[in-house]
Amino acid sequence: MIRIGILAVTDRGAMNGRLEQVRGVMDELLNQAPYSVAAFELVPDEPAQIKRILRLWADRDRLEVVFTTGSIRLTPRDHTPEATRELLEKEAPGLAELIRRECFKHNPAAALSRGVAGLRGQSLIVNLPGGPEGVRQALNALLPLLPSAVEQATGRALEVQQAEF
């Protein structure tokens, strides 16, 4: 199983029901083999709090994949990409580019997103959009790649069908 953590970063999303929609999409797509949602946390858009959870999940819990959702726009209040980048040991820019490209097909404003992706230890951390449709588009693009990414990051063979490159 690929153990996944979901870190929702928002100052306002919990109030308007959008977070519940995002969580529903993520549960729908990630609670099927070979994925298991092992952790979920909601934090305000404060870099120290974002980094604390990412460190715990990567360093202590050794989750294979950590998704953040939200707080990747150009607004002055969005800090998730910077907080994530500070913790990464290796960036995986192709994953962030893939997300932007797929989301752009449905919403040209996706070109303004600033999400990043990469490794901390053996944990893959990926910034996802904050809306339910953006999350669905991003995950549909990423899920075929995750088993291969986890194998590369961990050196552990998974018994799942993988995307071919």
Side-chain angles (χ1 to χ4, degrees), residues 39-102:
F40 178 86
E41 188 87 28
L42 171 67
V43 296
D45 198 338
E46 296 294 337
Q49 291 187 47
I50 296 166
K51 290 188 287 188
R52 181 181 63 82
I53 298 296
L54 294 179
R55 266 192 216 99
L56 283 173
W57 288 353
D59 300 349
R60 184 193 70 191
D61 299 342
R62 300 184 192 276
L63 298 180
E64 287 85 4
V65 178
V66 175
F67 290 121
T68 70
T69 178
S71 189
I72 61 172
R73 297 176 306 147
L74 291 173
T75 70
R77 186 73 186 127
D78 288 1
H79 303 293
T80 300
E82 289 78 19
T84 302
R85 187 175 280 118
E86 282 184 40
L87 298 178
L88 295 179
E89 296 163 355
K90 292 182 180 182
E91 285 202 42
L95 296 178
E97 293 164 11
L98 175 65
I99 292 168
R100 274 187 280 280
R101 187 182 74 227
E102 288 303 309

Side-chain angles (χ1 to χ4, degrees), residues 2-165:
I2 296 174
R3 294 171 312 126
I4 295 175
I6 300 169
L7 180 60
V9 181
T10 182
D11 287 333
R12 58 182 168 71
M15 292 180 262
N16 65 13
R18 191 171 188 180
L19 179 59
E20 289 81 16
Q21 293 173 345
V22 168
R23 180 73 194 263
V25 168
M26 294 182 100
D27 285 346
E28 171 192 333
L29 296 174
L30 297 173
N31 280 325
Q32 51 190 309
Y35 309 106
S36 171
V37 176
F40 178 86
E41 188 87 28
L42 171 67
V43 296
D45 198 338
E46 296 294 337
Q49 291 187 47
I50 296 166
K51 290 188 287 188
R52 181 181 63 82
I53 298 296
L54 294 179
R55 266 192 216 99
L56 283 173
W57 288 353
D59 300 349
R60 184 193 70 191
D61 299 342
R62 300 184 192 276
L63 298 180
E64 287 85 4
V65 178
V66 175
F67 290 121
T68 70
T69 178
S71 189
I72 61 172
R73 297 176 306 147
L74 291 173
T75 70
R77 186 73 186 127
D78 288 1
H79 303 293
T80 300
E82 289 78 19
T84 302
R85 187 175 280 118
E86 282 184 40
L87 298 178
L88 295 179
E89 296 163 355
K90 292 182 180 182
E91 285 202 42
L95 296 178
E97 293 164 11
L98 175 65
I99 292 168
R100 274 187 280 280
R101 187 182 74 227
E102 288 303 309
C103 292
F104 179 82
K105 291 176 183 177
H106 307 276
N107 179 3
L112 300 174
S113 71
R114 302 178 308 107
V116 299
L119 291 176
R120 177 174 178 89
Q122 295 182 346
S123 297
L124 178 64
I125 302 173
V126 182
N127 298 154
L128 299 179
E133 287 309 307
V135 166
R136 180 179 302 281
Q137 293 153 9
L139 287 177
N140 282 333
L142 290 175
L143 289 180
L145 302 172
L146 283 187
S148 185
V150 169
E151 278 193 348
Q152 290 179 36
T154 65
R156 175 172 61 95
L158 299 174
E159 296 180 23
V160 296
Q161 247 183 348
Q162 298 177 29
E164 304 244 349
F165 298 99

